[in-house]
């Protein structure tokens, strides 16, 4: 996984993780990357400062490349997977599963036809692109989300 510092055209800076630089470019081009603060889809790489550890700095550093093209060490992979799993678990606890009705519900909330709520569900890349083009703030998840009855 590679962590990028990103910046939306609204000036918000945030981090996002991608499997590779190619994955970042493909997802950005498809309109699947949006600012988590304002939902703006105009996102680019921000100027990255070195991540230097200082007292009180809680940011975890994860190497973005492995030496000599080797796979990252298992502890790095495990830490990244645990962080992703924790974020997904928190999202699942605080949002409602709407399944394939996701695009309709997200659009209705955006238009004010339904009250705003935290939801998650299923959408094809084409549906996600349509929502992004309409200005509906959605964000793709890094890992697949399954219906509540299929969680382990």
């Amino acid at each position: 996984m590679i962590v990028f510092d990103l910046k939306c055209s609204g000036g918000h800076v945030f981090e996002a993780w991608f499997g590779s630089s190619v994955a970042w470019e493909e997802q950005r081009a498809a309109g699947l990357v949006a600012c988590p603060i304002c939902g703006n889809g105009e996102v680019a790489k921000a100027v990255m400062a070195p991540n230097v550890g200082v007292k009180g700095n809680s940011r975890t550093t994860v190497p973005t490349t492995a030496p000599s093209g080797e796979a990252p060490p298992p502890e790095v992979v495990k830490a990244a997977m645990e962080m992703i799993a924790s974020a997904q678990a928190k999202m699942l606890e605080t949002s409602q599963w709407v399944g394939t009705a996701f695009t309709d519900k997200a659009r209705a909330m955006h238009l004010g036809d339904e009250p705003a709520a935290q939801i998650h569900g299923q959408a094809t890349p084409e549906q996600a692109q349509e929502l992004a083009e309409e200005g509906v703030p959605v964000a793709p998840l890094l890992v697949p989300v399954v219906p509540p009855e299929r969680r382990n």
Side-chain angles (χ1 to χ4, degrees):
M1 297 298 274
I2 301 173
V3 64
F4 288 106
D5 283 339
L6 302 178
K7 184 175 184 177
C8 75
S9 62
H12 301 114
V13 178
F14 57 97
E15 287 183 352
W17 292 72
F18 297 90
S20 66
S21 292
V22 172
W24 146 252
E25 291 296 337
E26 289 173 348
Q27 291 182 31
R28 185 188 58 78
L32 299 175
V33 180
C35 175
I37 300 164
C38 66
N40 189 327
E42 295 179 37
V43 177
K45 290 181 186 176
V47 176
M48 295 177 67
N51 189 4
V52 179
V54 294
K55 187 173 183 176
N57 183 357
S58 63
R59 182 173 175 176
T60 304
T61 58
V62 176
T64 57
T65 58
S68 307
E70 298 173 13
E75 62 272 9
V76 171
V77 173
K78 183 179 179 185
M81 302 265 310
E82 287 173 355
M83 190 169 29
I84 292 168
S86 174
Q88 177 175 325
K90 182 70 172 171
M91 184 276 310
L92 291 172
E93 290 172 11
T94 60
S95 65
Q96 176 190 7
W97 170 259
V98 294
T100 57
F102 177 78
T103 54
D104 294 335
K105 287 206 171 280
R107 189 174 285 115
M109 285 188 278
H110 179 70
L111 297 173
D113 296 337
E114 286 192 28
Q118 297 295 321
I119 62 171
H120 65 280
Q122 298 171 324
T124 65
E126 293 79 17
Q127 290 170 322
Q129 177 68 33
E130 289 173 8
L131 290 173
E133 289 172 357
E134 294 171 26
V136 179
V138 296
L141 298 174
L142 297 175
V143 291
V145 176
V146 297
E149 65 274 4
R150 290 187 44 211
R151 281 190 226 142
N152 52 1

